[in-house]
Amino acid sequence: MMFRKPCVHTKMARLIALVALCGVLVLQVQLVFTVCSVTKRQRRQLQTMCRGWADPNWNWGSPVGEAHDLAMQVRARLSSEEIRRAWLSDVVDGTVDVEDIKLALGLRIQHAARQGMDGNGAGWQLMQDMAACKYEGQDGVSKLQADLENLASKLPAAEAETRTEGDALGLSAARALTGMGFIEGGC
């Protein structure tokens, strides 16, 4: 009988079992396993999550840093009205990562504020709060959703976004983005 070399997943499973028995580093090993088996879309989401607003290399507003690099990618991905409409639909459905939503919001708010379309400074304040990491941590999403509702209430009614069912954060983000001219003007 020939013995086959164990596959990577079998080796990883054995390692996880061994570490679990020892009670050490389980979380780190699972993270390594997860990062090794992600799809391209998940890898992009992990990239944004791992290089988010609280990261010292983020440098929001600077022409250098992680934020600038990811902003260029987001702008390229959301390059047409048709794509932005479809993306907003995904936002409402809850299938877009919150970090991607925050990045698109920050970019749109920068443009909207210069055009006087950010709800008399409410958008600018929300962007400053993102940069100050107000929306990070356990209750960050609920704080962001509440502040997005406040922002949306100060913007012209978004005719393009009439759905009332969906992800709460997604609905609020879509209303705010639409009210600031995201569909027409992009990021």
Side-chain angles (χ1 to χ4, degrees):
M1 172 187 243
M2 284 185 64
F3 289 99
R4 288 189 302 174
K5 196 175 181 181
C7 72
V8 173
H9 293 290
T10 304
K11 287 180 183 178
M12 185 61 74
R14 287 181 185 159
L15 180 59
I16 290 172
L18 177 63
V19 172
L21 288 173
C22 298
V24 183
L25 300 174
V26 173
L27 209 50
Q28 289 178 350
V29 171
Q30 288 174 338
L31 179 60
V32 169
F33 182 77
T34 301
V35 171
C36 293
S37 63
V38 295
T39 66
K40 186 176 181 179
R41 180 172 185 254
Q42 291 168 326
R43 193 174 309 116
R44 189 176 66 236
Q45 288 174 340
L46 281 171
Q47 184 180 28
T48 307
M49 286 175 11
C50 294
R51 297 178 179 158
W53 297 85
D55 187 292
N57 295 319
W58 187 244
N59 294 337
W60 180 255
S62 171
V64 294
E66 304 290 343
H68 179 265
D69 297 343
L70 289 172
M72 297 300 287
Q73 293 173 20
V74 167
R75 284 187 180 115
R77 274 194 339 253
L78 302 174
S79 60
S80 73
E81 282 189 30
E82 182 180 325
I83 292 170
R84 289 189 292 272
R85 284 182 197 280
W87 186 80
L88 279 179
S89 181
D90 291 342
V91 167
V92 171
D93 291 339
T95 60
V96 176
D97 182 73
V98 67
E99 297 303 324
D100 285 339
I101 294 170
K102 290 192 299 191
L103 186 55
L105 278 164
L107 293 170
R108 184 63 213 157
I109 289 169
Q110 285 180 326
H111 290 291
R114 285 193 293 266
Q115 298 167 338
M117 300 172 56
D118 74 330
N120 294 321
W124 188 261
Q125 183 58 53
L126 189 140
M127 185 183 68
Q128 294 300 318
D129 289 343
M130 280 194 291
C133 301
K134 177 180 178 180
Y135 309 115
E136 304 297 313
Q138 225 172 15
D139 57 347
V141 170
S142 61
K143 288 179 182 178
L144 178 59
Q145 197 265 327
D147 287 354
L148 283 169
E149 279 300 313
N150 179 48
L151 171 59
S153 73
K154 296 177 182 182
L155 298 170
E159 295 174 21
E161 187 51 57
T162 57
R163 289 172 55 178
T164 57
E165 291 186 22
D167 178 69
L169 174 65
L171 283 165
S172 299
R175 284 188 196 113
L177 283 164
T178 304
M180 291 186 292
F182 172 76
I183 293 173
E184 303 81 14
C187 294

